[in-house]
Amino acid sequence: MPDFRIKICGVRSESDVIACATSGADCIGLNFYPASVRYLDPNSSNAKSINEQATLAGLIRVGLFVNEAVSQIITIYQTFGLEAVQLHGDETIEMAQVLRNEGIPIIRAIRLPTVPLTPTEIQTAIGPWADLDVTLLLDADAGAAFGGAGRQLDWPSVAAWSQHFPSPQGQPNWVLAGGLDSENVWNACRISTAIRVDVASGVEISRGVKSAELIQKFVTQYRARGVDEPQ
Protein backbone atom coordinates (compact mmCIF):
# COMPACT_ATOMS: atom_id res chain seq x y z
CA MET A 1 0.00 0.00 0.00
CA PRO A 2 1.45 3.39 -0.95
CA ASP A 3 2.07 5.46 2.17
CA PHE A 4 0.30 8.78 2.60
CA ARG A 5 -0.68 11.17 5.38
CA ILE A 6 -3.46 13.40 4.00
CA LYS A 7 -6.13 12.10 1.63
CA ILE A 8 -8.55 14.60 0.09
CA CYS A 9 -11.49 12.52 -1.08
CA GLY A 10 -14.02 13.35 -3.75
CA VAL A 11 -12.03 15.69 -5.99
CA ARG A 12 -14.03 16.62 -9.07
CA SER A 13 -11.97 19.08 -11.08
CA GLU A 14 -8.43 19.88 -12.18
CA SER A 15 -8.51 22.92 -9.91
CA ASP A 16 -9.22 20.56 -6.98
CA VAL A 17 -6.14 18.57 -7.92
CA ILE A 18 -3.99 21.70 -8.11
CA ALA A 19 -5.28 22.83 -4.70
CA CYS A 20 -4.42 19.45 -3.18
CA ALA A 21 -0.94 19.40 -4.68
CA THR A 22 -0.04 22.98 -3.76
CA SER A 23 -1.36 22.58 -0.21
CA GLY A 24 0.92 19.65 0.54
CA ALA A 25 -1.70 16.89 0.57
CA ASP A 26 -0.28 13.67 -0.81
CA CYS A 27 -3.33 11.58 -1.78
CA ILE A 28 -6.68 12.12 -3.48
CA GLY A 29 -9.79 10.00 -3.70
CA LEU A 30 -11.65 9.60 -7.00
CA ASN A 31 -15.26 8.72 -6.20
CA PHE A 32 -16.72 6.19 -8.62
CA TYR A 33 -19.96 5.65 -6.66
CA PRO A 34 -22.83 6.88 -8.90
CA ALA A 35 -25.14 7.81 -6.00
CA SER A 36 -22.59 10.20 -4.48
CA VAL A 37 -22.59 13.98 -5.02
CA ARG A 38 -18.84 13.57 -5.60
CA TYR A 39 -19.27 10.97 -8.35
CA LEU A 40 -16.85 10.92 -11.26
CA ASP A 41 -17.97 9.12 -14.40
CA PRO A 42 -14.96 6.93 -15.23
CA ASN A 43 -15.76 7.27 -18.94
CA SER A 44 -15.79 11.06 -18.89
CA SER A 45 -13.05 13.32 -20.21
CA ASN A 46 -13.18 15.16 -16.89
CA ALA A 47 -12.21 12.06 -14.91
CA LYS A 48 -9.37 11.34 -17.30
CA SER A 49 -8.02 14.89 -17.17
CA ILE A 50 -8.22 14.90 -13.35
CA ASN A 51 -6.32 11.64 -13.25
CA GLU A 52 -3.65 12.91 -15.63
CA GLN A 53 -3.22 16.13 -13.64
CA ALA A 54 -2.92 14.18 -10.37
CA THR A 55 -0.36 11.83 -11.89
CA LEU A 56 1.75 14.76 -13.08
CA ALA A 57 1.48 16.32 -9.61
CA GLY A 58 2.76 13.14 -7.97
CA LEU A 59 -0.40 12.57 -5.92
CA ILE A 60 -1.37 9.09 -4.81
CA ARG A 61 -4.70 8.23 -6.47
CA VAL A 62 -7.28 6.03 -4.78
CA GLY A 63 -10.51 4.93 -6.47
CA LEU A 64 -13.55 4.76 -4.18
CA PHE A 65 -16.19 2.12 -4.87
CA VAL A 66 -19.44 1.10 -3.19
CA ASN A 67 -20.81 -2.37 -3.96
CA GLU A 68 -19.33 -2.30 -7.46
CA ALA A 69 -18.70 -5.45 -9.49
CA VAL A 70 -15.17 -6.81 -9.11
CA SER A 71 -14.62 -6.79 -12.85
CA GLN A 72 -15.51 -3.09 -13.06
CA ILE A 73 -13.22 -2.22 -10.15
CA ILE A 74 -10.34 -4.02 -11.83
CA THR A 75 -11.04 -2.33 -15.17
CA ILE A 76 -11.09 1.17 -13.67
CA TYR A 77 -8.04 0.47 -11.51
CA GLN A 78 -6.05 -0.63 -14.53
CA THR A 79 -7.38 2.03 -16.91
CA PHE A 80 -6.54 4.88 -14.54
CA GLY A 81 -3.35 3.32 -13.22
CA LEU A 82 -4.52 3.85 -9.65
CA GLU A 83 -2.35 3.16 -6.60
CA ALA A 84 -5.18 1.61 -4.55
CA VAL A 85 -8.92 1.07 -4.32
CA GLN A 86 -11.18 1.96 -1.41
CA LEU A 87 -14.06 -0.40 -0.66
CA HIS A 88 -16.72 1.67 1.08
CA GLY A 89 -19.81 -0.52 0.86
CA ASP A 90 -20.80 -4.05 1.84
CA GLU A 91 -18.02 -5.79 -0.05
CA THR A 92 -17.02 -9.24 1.14
CA ILE A 93 -13.70 -10.71 2.15
CA GLU A 94 -13.94 -12.99 -0.87
CA MET A 95 -14.21 -9.99 -3.20
CA ALA A 96 -11.20 -8.40 -1.55
CA GLN A 97 -9.21 -11.60 -2.01
CA VAL A 98 -9.90 -11.51 -5.74
CA LEU A 99 -8.62 -7.94 -5.90
CA ARG A 100 -5.57 -8.78 -3.79
CA ASN A 101 -4.81 -11.69 -6.13
CA GLU A 102 -4.71 -9.11 -8.93
CA GLY A 103 -2.10 -7.18 -6.95
CA ILE A 104 -4.48 -4.34 -6.06
CA PRO A 105 -3.85 -2.59 -2.71
CA ILE A 106 -7.05 -2.10 -0.70
CA ILE A 107 -8.31 0.50 1.74
CA ARG A 108 -11.28 -0.96 3.59
CA ALA A 109 -13.78 1.49 5.13
CA ILE A 110 -15.09 0.41 8.53
CA ARG A 111 -18.27 2.29 9.39
CA LEU A 112 -18.54 2.80 13.14
CA PRO A 113 -21.17 4.35 15.44
CA THR A 114 -20.29 7.82 16.71
CA VAL A 115 -20.87 6.89 20.35
CA PRO A 116 -18.06 5.82 22.73
CA LEU A 117 -16.95 2.26 21.97
CA THR A 118 -14.71 -0.25 23.69
CA PRO A 119 -11.61 -1.54 21.87
CA THR A 120 -13.32 -4.92 21.56
CA GLU A 121 -16.43 -3.35 20.00
CA ILE A 122 -14.32 -1.62 17.36
CA GLN A 123 -12.31 -4.76 16.69
CA THR A 124 -15.52 -6.75 16.35
CA ALA A 125 -16.79 -4.25 13.78
CA ILE A 126 -13.55 -4.71 11.84
CA GLY A 127 -14.00 -8.46 12.06
CA PRO A 128 -12.07 -10.63 9.58
CA TRP A 129 -10.72 -7.57 7.78
CA ALA A 130 -8.17 -7.34 10.59
CA ASP A 131 -6.56 -10.52 9.27
CA LEU A 132 -6.35 -9.34 5.66
CA ASP A 133 -3.53 -7.26 4.20
CA VAL A 134 -5.58 -4.08 3.86
CA THR A 135 -5.44 -0.54 5.23
CA LEU A 136 -8.42 0.25 7.46
CA LEU A 137 -10.29 3.53 7.14
CA LEU A 138 -12.32 4.27 10.25
CA ASP A 139 -15.36 6.32 9.28
CA ALA A 140 -18.62 7.34 10.92
CA ASP A 141 -21.60 5.25 9.93
CA ALA A 142 -23.75 7.40 7.64
CA GLY A 143 -26.31 4.72 6.81
CA ALA A 144 -27.37 4.63 3.17
CA ALA A 145 -25.08 7.58 2.36
CA PHE A 146 -21.96 5.38 2.82
CA GLY A 147 -19.87 8.22 4.25
CA GLY A 148 -19.26 11.87 3.50
CA ALA A 149 -21.89 13.02 6.00
CA GLY A 150 -19.55 14.98 8.29
CA ARG A 151 -20.18 12.92 11.42
CA GLN A 152 -17.31 12.44 13.91
CA LEU A 153 -16.13 9.29 15.58
CA ASP A 154 -15.38 9.16 19.31
CA TRP A 155 -11.64 9.84 19.13
CA PRO A 156 -10.73 8.56 22.63
CA SER A 157 -12.34 5.24 21.68
CA VAL A 158 -10.20 5.07 18.55
CA ALA A 159 -7.06 5.77 20.58
CA ALA A 160 -7.91 3.04 23.09
CA TRP A 161 -8.56 0.57 20.27
CA SER A 162 -5.27 1.42 18.54
CA GLN A 163 -3.34 0.89 21.76
CA HIS A 164 -5.16 -2.35 22.61
CA PHE A 165 -4.92 -3.82 19.11
CA PRO A 166 -1.62 -2.51 17.67
CA SER A 167 -0.84 -3.14 14.02
CA PRO A 168 1.41 -6.18 13.51
CA GLN A 169 3.46 -4.07 11.08
CA GLY A 170 4.40 -1.67 13.87
CA GLN A 171 3.25 1.45 12.02
CA PRO A 172 -0.51 2.00 12.51
CA ASN A 173 -2.24 0.57 9.45
CA TRP A 174 -5.34 2.73 9.63
CA VAL A 175 -6.71 6.09 8.52
CA LEU A 176 -9.01 8.39 10.51
CA ALA A 177 -12.05 9.80 8.70
CA GLY A 178 -15.43 11.13 9.72
CA GLY A 179 -16.26 14.80 10.20
CA LEU A 180 -12.71 16.12 10.01
CA ASP A 181 -12.05 19.74 9.05
CA SER A 182 -9.44 22.45 9.53
CA GLU A 183 -10.87 23.36 12.93
CA ASN A 184 -10.62 19.91 14.48
CA VAL A 185 -7.98 17.86 12.62
CA TRP A 186 -5.21 18.87 15.04
CA ASN A 187 -7.21 17.70 18.04
CA ALA A 188 -8.50 14.65 16.18
CA CYS A 189 -4.97 13.42 15.54
CA ARG A 190 -3.80 14.30 19.04
CA ILE A 191 -6.65 12.48 20.76
CA SER A 192 -7.10 9.50 18.42
CA THR A 193 -3.32 9.08 17.78
CA ALA A 194 -4.02 8.98 14.02
CA ILE A 195 -1.13 9.71 11.70
CA ARG A 196 -3.20 9.43 8.50
CA VAL A 197 -6.41 11.33 7.79
CA ASP A 198 -9.14 11.41 5.15
CA VAL A 199 -11.41 14.38 4.51
CA ALA A 200 -14.22 15.11 2.05
CA SER A 201 -17.03 17.39 3.25
CA GLY A 202 -14.71 19.15 5.72
CA VAL A 203 -12.94 20.99 2.88
CA GLU A 204 -16.05 21.93 0.90
CA ILE A 205 -17.96 25.20 0.64
CA SER A 206 -21.08 23.24 -0.37
CA ARG A 207 -21.78 19.55 -0.86
CA GLY A 208 -19.34 18.20 -3.42
CA VAL A 209 -17.65 21.57 -4.07
CA LYS A 210 -14.08 21.77 -2.78
CA SER A 211 -12.44 24.95 -1.49
CA ALA A 212 -8.74 25.55 -2.15
CA GLU A 213 -8.62 27.74 0.94
CA LEU A 214 -10.16 25.08 3.17
CA ILE A 215 -7.86 22.41 1.75
CA GLN A 216 -4.84 24.58 2.56
CA LYS A 217 -6.13 25.30 6.07
CA PHE A 218 -6.75 21.60 6.67
CA VAL A 219 -3.25 20.61 5.59
CA THR A 220 -1.65 23.44 7.59
CA GLN A 221 -3.47 22.44 10.76
CA TYR A 222 -2.58 18.77 10.26
CA ARG A 223 1.11 19.67 9.79
CA ALA A 224 1.01 21.78 12.95
CA ARG A 225 0.92 18.60 14.98
CA GLY A 226 4.34 17.66 13.64
CA VAL A 227 3.41 14.21 12.32
CA ASP A 228 6.27 12.53 10.48
CA GLU A 229 6.23 12.49 6.70
CA PRO A 230 5.99 9.19 4.82
CA GLN A 231 9.34 7.62 4.11
Side-chain angles (χ1 to χ4, degrees), residues 38-146:
R38 304 173 183 90
Y39 172 62
L40 274 182
D41 181 348
N43 298 311
S44 68
S45 59
N46 183 45
K48 294 171 184 175
S49 64
I50 288 172
N51 187 58
E52 290 172 1
Q53 184 72 40
T55 302
L56 290 173
L59 293 168
I60 294 169
R61 295 152 300 127
V62 176
L64 184 151
F65 301 90
V66 175
N67 300 333
E68 186 60 78
V70 174
S71 58
Q72 179 70 347
I73 294 175
I74 294 173
T75 296
I76 293 175
Y77 173 85
Q78 294 176 341
T79 300
F80 282 75
L82 301 174
E83 277 84 16
V85 301
Q86 181 173 319
L87 304 180
H88 215 97
D90 304 311
E91 296 84 5
T92 64
I93 289 288
E94 290 74 23
M95 171 187 282
Q97 291 285 19
V98 173
L99 296 173
R100 292 294 299 130
N101 290 341
E102 291 289 328
I104 299 177
I106 295 171
I107 298 174
R108 172 63 200 180
I110 305 296
R111 304 192 299 275
L112 298 171
T114 56
V115 298
L117 301 168
T118 67
T120 300
E121 286 174 326
I122 294 178
Q123 192 70 6
T124 299
I126 294 168
W129 294 99
D131 299 321
L132 201 63
D133 183 20
V134 300
T135 295
L136 303 173
L137 184 140
L138 305 184
D139 199 5
D141 191 348
F146 290 103

Side-chain angles (χ1 to χ4, degrees), residues 2-229:
D3 199 4
F4 62 88
R5 290 294 180 267
I6 305 170
K7 176 171 171 280
I8 310 295
C9 200
V11 302
R12 301 179 63 227
S13 69
E14 287 191 51
S15 60
D16 288 348
V17 174
I18 294 170
C20 291
T22 56
S23 71
D26 51 3
C27 181
I28 62 168
L30 306 178
N31 190 323
F32 296 116
Y33 177 42
S36 173
V37 297
R38 304 173 183 90
Y39 172 62
L40 274 182
D41 181 348
N43 298 311
S44 68
S45 59
N46 183 45
K48 294 171 184 175
S49 64
I50 288 172
N51 187 58
E52 290 172 1
Q53 184 72 40
T55 302
L56 290 173
L59 293 168
I60 294 169
R61 295 152 300 127
V62 176
L64 184 151
F65 301 90
V66 175
N67 300 333
E68 186 60 78
V70 174
S71 58
Q72 179 70 347
I73 294 175
I74 294 173
T75 296
I76 293 175
Y77 173 85
Q78 294 176 341
T79 300
F80 282 75
L82 301 174
E83 277 84 16
V85 301
Q86 181 173 319
L87 304 180
H88 215 97
D90 304 311
E91 296 84 5
T92 64
I93 289 288
E94 290 74 23
M95 171 187 282
Q97 291 285 19
V98 173
L99 296 173
R100 292 294 299 130
N101 290 341
E102 291 289 328
I104 299 177
I106 295 171
I107 298 174
R108 172 63 200 180
I110 305 296
R111 304 192 299 275
L112 298 171
T114 56
V115 298
L117 301 168
T118 67
T120 300
E121 286 174 326
I122 294 178
Q123 192 70 6
T124 299
I126 294 168
W129 294 99
D131 299 321
L132 201 63
D133 183 20
V134 300
T135 295
L136 303 173
L137 184 140
L138 305 184
D139 199 5
D141 191 348
F146 290 103
R151 303 179 65 196
Q152 296 176 14
L153 294 176
D154 184 73
W155 302 326
S157 296
V158 174
W161 161 78
S162 180
Q163 183 176 23
H164 194 78
F165 293 97
S167 170
Q169 294 89 356
Q171 191 84 331
N173 195 31
W174 55 277
V175 182
L176 181 68
L180 300 179
D181 59 32
S182 62
E183 300 298 321
N184 65 24
V185 66
W186 190 93
N187 261 333
C189 290
R190 179 182 63 84
I191 296 170
S192 71
T193 70
I195 63 171
R196 291 191 276 183
V197 293
D198 180 288
V199 64
S201 62
V203 291
E204 294 176 347
I205 53 175
S206 60
R207 281 185 61 76
V209 181
K210 294 288 188 287
S211 162
E213 180 181 0
L214 291 177
I215 290 172
Q216 182 62 69
K217 285 183 176 180
F218 183 88
V219 174
T220 299
Q221 288 303 308
Y222 170 89
R223 302 288 184 205
R225 185 171 180 264
V227 181
D228 292 337
E229 294 295 319

